[in-house]
Amino acid sequence: ITMSALRHALGFVAVALVWGSTNPLLKRGSQGIEKIHKSNRLLQLLAELGFLASNWRYAVPFLINQSGSVLYYLTIASADISLAVPITNSLTFLVTTLVGRAMGERIRYQTYAGIALVLCGVTLCVLSKVT
């Protein structure tokens, strides 16, 4: 494994950790948005944006999540995109599930089976590029 490949792999893992850990926090932070009701779509949109922007429980995870996006774009600038996307997205799915579970969300066994299948598929993609 080259130093460049290791750097890319660490970048993908870091992005997945940031995205996956903030996704459940974004969900939790947006609770209450469904109670906003305005007379038209534009006012509804503006009220919802105002709710999210003024709610630190949403805004802080959102900013952290976006820092993961910056890291992602910096990482894929020099990486093989056909590996970057499936690796990052599958690991994000895994981390989101695990963090959601740690926060008390009920996870069905089918979700764990799906994660296993996705990880197997990504492993095959990686192996096909390495060999």
Side-chain angles (χ1 to χ4, degrees):
I1 295 178
T2 66
M3 190 57 107
S4 177
L6 182 60
R7 190 176 68 248
H8 290 142
L10 291 175
F12 301 150
V13 170
V15 170
L17 288 171
V18 170
W19 282 349
S21 61
T22 56
N23 285 338
L25 296 173
L26 288 167
K27 179 181 176 182
R28 182 176 284 178
S30 65
Q31 288 176 343
I33 198 168
E34 68 281 353
K35 296 176 185 171
I36 298 173
H37 298 288
K38 297 297 175 190
S39 60
N40 66 51
R41 289 182 186 206
L42 179 60
L43 291 176
Q44 181 72 26
L45 174 66
L46 294 174
E48 290 175 2
L49 288 174
F51 172 84
L52 295 174
S54 65
N55 180 356
W56 72 268
R57 287 184 175 95
Y58 182 86
V60 171
F62 177 77
L63 292 173
I64 295 169
N65 183 285
Q66 292 309 296
S67 71
S69 297
V70 171
L71 178 59
Y72 179 69
Y73 288 110
L74 292 173
T75 304
I76 65 168
S78 60
D80 183 348
I81 197 159
S82 67
L83 287 177
V85 173
I87 290 171
T88 305
N89 288 344
S90 63
L91 290 177
T92 299
F93 179 40
L94 171 65
V95 174
T96 298
T97 302
L98 296 177
V99 172
R101 176 70 183 108
M103 292 175 61
E105 190 170 317
R106 186 173 155 263
I107 308 296
R108 298 170 57 190
Y109 74 90
Q110 292 96 331
T111 301
Y112 292 113
I115 288 172
L117 291 171
V118 168
L119 291 175
C120 287
V122 171
T123 300
L124 290 174
C125 288
V126 170
L127 290 174
S128 75
K129 291 287 186 174
V130 173
T131 56

